[in-house]
Amino acid sequence: MQRLRGKRVVVTGAANGIGRAIALRLTEEGARVVLADVDEEAAGAVAAGIGESGGEAVAQKTDVTRNGDVEALVRRAVSEWGGLDVMVNNAGVGVAGTAVTTTQEEYERVMDVCVRGTFLGMKHAIPAVAASGGGSVINMSSVAALVGIVDRAVYSAAKGAILAMTRASAIDHVGEGVRVNCIAPGTVDTPWVARITSGYDDPEGARANMQARQPHGRFVTPEEIAAMAAYLASDESASVIGACMIVDGGVTAR
Ligand SMILES: NC(=O)c1ccc[n+]([C@@H]2O[C@H](COP(=O)([O-])OP(=O)(O)OC[C@H]3O[C@@H](n4cnc5c(N)ncnc54)[C@H](O)[C@@H]3O)[C@@H](O)[C@H]2O)c1
């Protein structure tokens, strides 16, 4: 399927997990992708793998919390390919904790990467997408924005902010032909899950609990989130604007 042929895309947090799966899927469907990540080496390895499979990708070291990095990232896509059609603001970090147990440093880190990172991604990408004739911005929220999840107070706040900013920006920019949407994944099996569970006394038990809370009894796969991102990136979703696309194995249906 080549429904993204010709699309010029940036994916943040593309070295691992969901971002990596999105970069692979979008290039398989014909898009050209800039893979942005703080981990330059891993992003470069993913881009090289895409190149070996016949896809088009380049990597750019980017810290999404830094205004200059994000500005340079968008400029790279425009200089590389002459424009930008799709921006995927996927980079994010989480922390396990309640409002009582989370430290101020953890609060600042999670809000910085998730909220400031998404804000800067939209700030610099939306004008470039509009100047390219319109396109799609995809932000990564979470089911944590929609239902109460134990031990995720600050992460939920960050993902709720992304959902609210998505809706507001969808209304602000619909007239410029820029569609802004977000995805709310359930628990997806990525390196992030291993990091979260390693903080518990019984990491294996914590992992089993994370699977059990999904009504379909398993983790969502990164590829299932990538399939939703491919739809939102494509012109098939032309009337999907300001939406929160839930891919959660039934968590929010309970
Ligand atoms: N895994 C899940 O269960 C799950 C569920 C819902 C939402 N999400 C969201 O999906 C997104 C991706 O999560 P994942 O599970 O693939 O995580 P991951 O940790 O596996 O990958 C995240 C990537 O982002 C990069 N990154 C971190 N900080 C960055 C920064 N400041 N600038 C640029 N890149 C940075 C990391 O290097 C890494 O490559 C996150 O926004 C996360 O909150 C994940």
Side-chain angles (χ1 to χ4, degrees):
M1 200 163 35
Q2 289 283 297
R3 69 181 160 167
L4 302 179
R5 176 149 298 285
K7 301 260 189 228
R8 299 154 297 187
V9 180
V10 167
V11 180
T12 69
N16 290 287
I18 293 171
R20 176 178 174 276
I22 291 174
L24 294 177
R25 174 73 188 249
L26 269 49
T27 50
E28 271 164 26
E29 292 206 32
R32 291 167 285 184
V33 177
V34 183
L35 291 92
D37 207 288
V38 278
D39 189 341
E40 188 176 20
E41 206 181 318
V46 178
I50 289 170
E52 281 159 21
S53 321
E56 263 190 87
V58 294
Q60 170 118 351
K61 183 177 171 64
T62 308
D63 180 343
V64 298
T65 68
R66 298 168 72 133
N67 184 58
D69 279 19
V70 182
E71 200 174 8
L73 171 64
V74 170
R75 215 182 307 120
R76 170 88 188 269
V78 173
S79 68
E80 196 83 36
W81 295 314
L84 181 66
D85 304 296
V86 179
M87 178 74 181
V88 186
N89 292 306
N90 163 76
V93 294
V95 64
T98 67
V100 175
T101 61
T102 304
T103 66
Q104 275 198 63
E105 289 71 25
E106 287 169 332
Y107 169 88
E108 273 154 23
R109 176 89 191 124
V110 171
M111 296 302 273
D112 226 27
V113 179
C114 292
V115 185
R116 189 207 299 249
T118 301
F119 160 68
L120 290 176
M122 291 205 289
K123 182 177 187 58
H124 294 295
I126 287 173
V129 173
S132 303
S136 172
V137 173
I138 304 165
N139 297 326
M140 202 53 69
S141 183
S142 166
V143 292
L146 303 170
V147 293
I149 296 195
V150 170
D151 235 10
R152 298 287 184 276
V154 169
Y155 181 68
S156 301
K159 293 298 172 177
I162 289 172
L163 170 58
M165 196 158 44
T166 296
R167 289 202 179 114
S169 302
I171 298 307
D172 284 338
H173 300 288
V174 63
E176 299 159 51
V178 182
R179 297 185 296 111
V180 185
N181 293 287
C182 66
I183 302 176
T187 305
V188 187
D189 199 4
T190 68
W192 178 85
V193 169
R195 277 199 305 279
I196 287 268
T197 54
S198 69
Y200 286 89
D201 292 340
D202 174 14
E204 273 312 307
R207 189 178 160 83
N209 283 342
M210 285 174 98
Q211 292 202 58
R213 76 183 183 202
Q214 307 267 133
H216 70 343
R218 63 168 177 84
F219 287 119
V220 177
T221 67
E223 291 72 26
E224 288 171 322
I225 305 302
M228 178 57 77
Y231 168 68
L232 289 174
S234 79
D235 298 338
E236 287 184 273
S237 58
S239 291
V240 182
I241 292 161
C244 178
M245 309 299 275
I246 299 170
V247 186
D248 70 349
V251 171
T252 52
R254 273 206 170 117

